Amino acid sequence: MRYLDEYRDGAAAQKMLRQIERVATRPWTIMEVCGSQTHAILKYGIDELLPPQITLIHGPGCPVCVTPVETVDQALVIASRDDVIFTSYGDMLRVPGSSKDLLSVKAEGGDVRMVYSPMDALKVARDNPGKRVVFFAIGFETTAPANAMAVVAAEREGLANFLMLTSHVLIPPAIQAIASSPENRVQGFLAPGHVCTVTGYAQYEPLAKKYRLPIVVTGFEPLDILHAIHMLVSQLEAGRHEVENQYSRSVTREGNRQAQALIDEVFEVADQRWRGIGVIPCSGLRLKGRYTKYDAARVFALEETASREASVCIAGLVLQGVRKPPECPAFGKECTPEHALGAPMVSSEGACAAYYLYARRAGTAR
Ligand code: SF4
């Protein structure tokens, strides 16, 4: 297939659904890790079209949602400074910290600006030499190369007023944390295609072997997801636990070596706190070596704050696939995209936003 429409072809989707029905003889629970896949599943009604014995649950693959409240609170402190221009993606401006969000800081007079890439933030730094320009660098392995490139460019240009507040997370340790949890009910994973475009899929192989869980790397179109579910259920029915690549038009086993080298040049692996989940060992990236001078948390010597989540929000359970958004008592009532209590309702990749947007309610969600 060469064109996008072909990956949304209704007749082909029906055919794939019949193949899944034929192969699935028992109940299976599958987690899609990526927020974009969650949105595609709900948008195209894949969760409702699948045979009832297949349950899809949603994982922690929304980078905005998993940025810890402690780091959002640090962002609020930095953004409130008179000598700072704080730059961030649009969704991050609305994510609640302990008491407010970045948009509130902007309303109070802080210079908070929305950007589309770290290179935009770099330009703001070039254009404003009298200010320190901080970029809120969040995301999975997908955004890490561009963030690394911005730091390398700042170093090359001698831009001393460019800084990063980082909250980088890695997918394989998150899968490991879910697979090893006593509450785990996931029997197979759909791995995120865009992350694997950078990293390749070899690093998932030890996980599949250790936890005896099949993992299928997949894309984001309805036929990609249905095809991957068919591959996963076929493995489960056959008692296999391998890593398979449905997204071969973009992903190789080795990944993008140049992007990986760029990440390794600038970042090192570190323990990372995930919002609502807690610290997962070796699940994040932080600036290393001579690049630590670009680390905003270090430069501003920020101390640990006594951060707190909205008490009603069960985002941590939603992000681990233990609960579905409609099971949250605030879903669609106190918590809506316009008045979000938690990040999964704010973010365009968040599971709560997807359920709200595509009108899934308790009782219809499975
Ligand atoms: S519906 Fe709102 S309050 Fe409930 S888990 Fe989702 S983001 Fe949190």
Side-chain angles (χ1 to χ4, degrees):
M1 290 191 282
R2 289 187 300 153
Y3 301 108
L4 198 55
D5 283 358
E6 295 173 284
Y7 291 96
R8 298 176 183 176
D9 181 85
Q14 287 298 336
K15 202 170 154 195
M16 188 57 76
L17 279 163
R18 283 195 295 276
Q19 288 181 26
I20 294 170
E21 278 164 18
R22 268 199 295 276
V23 77
T25 65
R26 285 175 278 168
W28 297 113
T29 300
I30 293 168
M31 174 180 276
E32 88 281 356
V33 180
C34 167
S36 300
Q37 289 167 348
T38 304
H39 274 254
I41 285 165
L42 295 215
K43 179 177 179 182
Y44 294 102
I46 291 172
D47 55 326
E48 295 177 328
L49 292 169
L50 285 170
Q53 62 269 38
I54 296 180
T55 302
L56 293 180
I57 56 177
H58 321 299
C62 161
V64 171
C65 305
V66 298
T67 300
V69 67
E70 290 81 0
T71 312
V72 177
D73 285 344
Q74 288 185 328
L76 297 172
V77 170
I78 296 171
S80 302
R81 293 176 62 107
D82 290 339
D83 60 341
V84 162
I85 299 172
F86 195 89
T87 62
S88 173
Y89 298 122
D91 283 359
M92 280 311 302
L93 300 183
R94 297 176 53 234
V95 172
S98 294
S99 60
K100 57 185 173 184
D101 58 24
L102 284 162
L103 275 186
S104 309
V105 174
K106 187 177 173 66
E108 290 160 11
D111 195 344
V112 177
R113 303 185 191 182
M114 189 183 91
V115 291
Y116 293 101
S117 79
M119 290 304 177
D120 291 347
L122 211 58
K123 181 173 184 318
V124 177
R126 265 186 226 113
D127 295 345
N128 295 273
K131 293 271 187 152
R132 290 195 274 191
V133 175
V134 181
F135 176 64
F136 203 172
I138 65 145
F140 290 95
E141 293 93 327
T142 354
T143 55
N147 290 340
M149 194 182 289
V151 171
V152 168
E155 177 83 344
R156 199 167 44 226
E157 294 177 36
L159 264 183
N161 67 329
F162 178 72
L163 298 167
M164 269 188 178
L165 181 64
T166 59
S167 179
H168 262 299
V169 280
L170 303 172
I171 289 286
I175 288 184
Q176 172 151 359
I178 291 164
S180 59
S181 163
E183 289 189 81
N184 178 46
R185 57 195 176 108
V186 179
Q187 293 163 297
F189 287 93
L190 300 177
H194 49 9
V195 164
C196 296
T197 303
V198 173
T199 63
Y201 61 83
Q203 60 180 319
Y204 293 85
E205 289 167 352
L207 288 175
K209 194 171 172 194
K210 180 172 179 185
Y211 296 102
R212 303 181 66 79
L213 291 168
I215 298 174
V216 176
V217 180
T218 186
F220 307 91
E221 295 302 326
L223 274 177
D224 285 325
I225 294 169
L226 286 172
H227 184 199
I229 291 170
H230 181 254
M231 291 165 75
L232 207 49
V233 173
S234 300
Q235 281 207 53
L236 288 163
E237 291 279 343
R240 292 188 291 120
H241 45 273
E242 291 158 26
V243 179
E244 292 180 331
N245 182 18
Q246 183 278 332
Y247 203 39
S248 56
R249 65 185 184 278
S250 296
V251 170
T252 62
R253 185 171 183 272
E254 293 73 30
N256 182 333
R257 287 267 162 80
Q258 238 180 326
Q260 291 163 19
L262 202 49
I263 295 172
D264 289 345
E265 164 69 20
V266 173
F267 294 112
E268 64 188 0
V269 172
D271 294 348
Q272 171 72 29
R273 188 182 295 278
W274 296 55
R275 188 165 192 156
I277 297 175
V279 174
I280 301 178
C282 301
S283 69
L285 295 174
R286 67 177 173 211
L287 291 159
K288 74 174 184 188
R290 69 177 189 275
Y291 300 110
T292 54
K293 63 177 182 265
Y294 297 99
D295 183 343
R298 196 166 178 264
V299 167
F300 292 115
L302 296 178
E303 291 178 6
E304 279 278 312
T305 54
S307 299
R308 60 181 169 78
E309 301 275 1
S311 57
V312 70
C313 183
I314 60 162
L317 297 176
V318 171
L319 290 166
Q320 293 171 85
V322 177
R323 293 280 174 82
K324 290 204 171 186
E327 295 172 44
C328 172
F331 177 83
K333 297 173 194 141
E334 301 99 300
C335 187
T336 65
E338 291 74 33
H339 300 285
L341 295 180
M345 189 61 95
V346 171
S347 169
S348 57
E349 287 188 38
C352 298
Y355 271 73
Y356 189 88
L357 189 60
Y358 303 114
R360 298 293 199 284
R361 297 282 183 270
T364 66
R366 66 175 174 88

